[in-house]
């Protein structure tokens, strides 16, 4: 489905009825990464999953895309499809940074948070320099080199031999990200603020999920979020890396469903 927003058209999934659950994808991915969640959870919830600007089937706009801008896009999307009740927001990695920005800017619209494979901290100076290198690479050579360098880190080392089909699927999802979209997101990621100080102000039910074999974001980042958010729940998943929702879909869905039942 596609909806026209003031600045661009956004592609999205909208399935099921009841409590809305908004899925926000990571970088450089799109809503297809939530397929195992959408096809299971829509039976008891209204599952929403947009493609962020410049990702998947949503057209790019001029760079940069700050996390605040992408969070506001999600709010504009909810308005456009007529969702006025508070939503549970589930973001993975960059989607988690956007989820924290959404909470900061649209607090009254949040019924709960699910933070997967993410961190509250900002980029380190080294991380920022790497973003600049990636931007240069994309401008010179297109999206492909970034896809090639990220793919071996997106999942647990074991997943590459146990689920080669999943590796191919993830590669295809990443490969459709437009160069403009990549540059926009990379520049926004680089400039995102440190959200650690706001963790103590979060007063909605919060679930934190992290793969024990995440090669991109260490488990200790999830522990920092857990320590910062009062009454939050932390689940560490075995045999799962950065894309834990795809690597352990049944377990991920079960933990999410159990959390949602408590709301
Ligand atoms: C993601 O998966 O969204 C990215 O790895 C996040 C990041 O690069 O910080």
């Amino acid at each position: 489905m596609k909806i026209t927003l003031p600045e661009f058209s956004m592609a999205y999934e909208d399935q099921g009825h009841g409590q809305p659950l908004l899925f926000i994808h990571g970088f450089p991915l799109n809503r297809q990464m939530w397929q195992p969640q959408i096809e299971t959870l829509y039976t008891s919830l209204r599952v929403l999953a947009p493609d962020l600007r410049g990702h998947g089937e949503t057209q790019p706009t001029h760079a940069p895309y700050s996390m605040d801008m992408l969070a506001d896009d999600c709010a504009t999307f909810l308005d456009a499809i007529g969702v006025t009740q508070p939503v549970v927001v589930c973001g993975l990695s960059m989607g988690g940074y956007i989820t924290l920005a959404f909470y900061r800017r649209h607090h009254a619209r949040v019924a709960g948070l699910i933070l997967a494979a993410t961190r509250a901290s900002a980029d380190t100076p080294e991380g920022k320099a790497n973003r600049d290198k990636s931007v240069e690479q994309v401008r010179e050579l297109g999206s492909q080199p970034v896809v090639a360098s990220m793919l071996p880190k997106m999942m647990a080392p074991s997943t590459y031999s146990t689920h080669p089909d999943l590796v191919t699927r993830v590669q295809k999802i990443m490969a459709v990200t437009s160069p403009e979209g990549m540059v926009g997101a990379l520049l926004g990621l680089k400039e995102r603020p440190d959200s650690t100080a706001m963790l103590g102000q979060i007063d909605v039910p919060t679930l934190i999920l992290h793969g024990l074999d995440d090669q991109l974001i260490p488990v200790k980042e999830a522990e920092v979020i857990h320590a910062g958010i009062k009454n939050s729940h932390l689940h560490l998943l075995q045999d799962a890396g950065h894309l834990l929702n795809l690597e352990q879909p049944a377990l991920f869905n079960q933990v999410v469903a159990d959390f949602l039942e408590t709301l």
Side-chain angles (χ1 to χ4, degrees):
M1 273 186 272
K2 270 207 174 177
I3 190 144
T4 306
L5 304 183
E7 280 186 76
F8 57 90
S9 289
M10 183 175 246
Y12 67 102
E13 294 305 319
D14 178 359
Q15 291 189 36
H17 301 280
Q19 169 65 50
L21 171 57
L22 173 68
F23 282 112
I24 308 181
H25 63 76
F27 171 84
L29 300 155
N30 61 59
R31 70 191 196 277
Q32 286 181 32
M33 67 158 282
W34 297 115
Q35 194 198 337
Q37 283 65 54
I38 295 169
E39 67 189 24
T40 304
L41 296 170
Y42 86 95
T43 54
S44 49
L45 298 156
R46 182 171 179 189
V47 182
L48 304 165
D51 281 350
L52 298 168
R53 57 171 90 195
H55 295 73
E57 296 176 286
T58 295
Q59 61 197 95
T61 58
H62 289 301
Y65 309 160
S66 69
M67 299 300 108
D68 285 358
M69 174 194 268
L70 296 174
D72 289 353
D73 286 347
C74 290
T76 306
F77 160 66
L78 293 175
D79 289 339
I81 61 167
V83 173
T84 51
Q85 76 185 96
V87 297
V88 177
V89 189
C90 173
L92 182 138
S93 198
M94 177 178 78
Y97 314 152
I98 299 166
T99 299
L100 291 174
F102 189 92
Y103 184 84
R104 202 164 44 233
R105 296 167 73 80
H106 306 283
H107 180 199
R109 301 188 83 148
V110 180
L113 298 176
I114 303 174
L115 297 165
T118 196
R119 48 158 64 100
S121 53
D123 274 5
T124 60
E126 190 196 347
K128 286 181 197 270
N130 285 336
R131 303 282 190 206
D132 287 334
K133 272 189 221 147
S134 299
V135 167
E136 267 174 45
Q137 228 176 9
V138 176
R139 286 193 170 135
E140 226 172 275
L141 304 163
S143 327
Q144 214 37 51
V146 170
V147 174
S149 71
M150 285 186 78
L151 187 63
K153 300 182 213 137
M154 293 300 267
M155 286 161 280
S158 58
T159 300
Y160 293 85
S161 48
T162 54
H163 289 93
D165 49 324
L166 180 57
V167 179
T168 307
R169 200 160 116 217
V170 169
Q171 198 262 342
K172 284 189 179 149
I173 295 175
M174 293 166 83
V176 299
T177 311
S178 64
E180 299 95 311
M182 273 201 184
V183 169
L186 284 163
L187 293 175
L189 286 163
K190 176 187 159 191
E191 295 305 334
R192 77 181 188 282
D194 192 317
S195 296
T196 313
M198 72 168 276
L199 297 175
Q201 291 151 27
I202 294 178
D203 61 0
V204 293
T206 301
L207 171 66
I208 302 148
L209 287 147
H210 213 94
L212 280 166
D213 303 326
D214 192 322
Q215 304 188 69
L216 284 174
I217 299 187
V219 172
K220 76 167 183 342
E221 299 284 357
E223 289 166 349
V224 168
I225 299 176
H226 179 46
I229 305 180
K230 281 181 291 294
N231 303 320
S232 58
H233 302 275
L234 172 65
H235 279 262
L236 300 177
L237 269 51
Q238 279 186 349
D239 300 320
H242 195 56
L243 296 182
L244 64 166
N245 68 303
L246 288 167
E247 296 175 84
Q248 295 296 340
L251 194 53
F252 187 96
N253 291 348
Q254 191 56 55
V255 174
V256 167
D258 290 348
F259 169 71
L260 294 167
E261 265 192 24
T262 66
L263 298 185

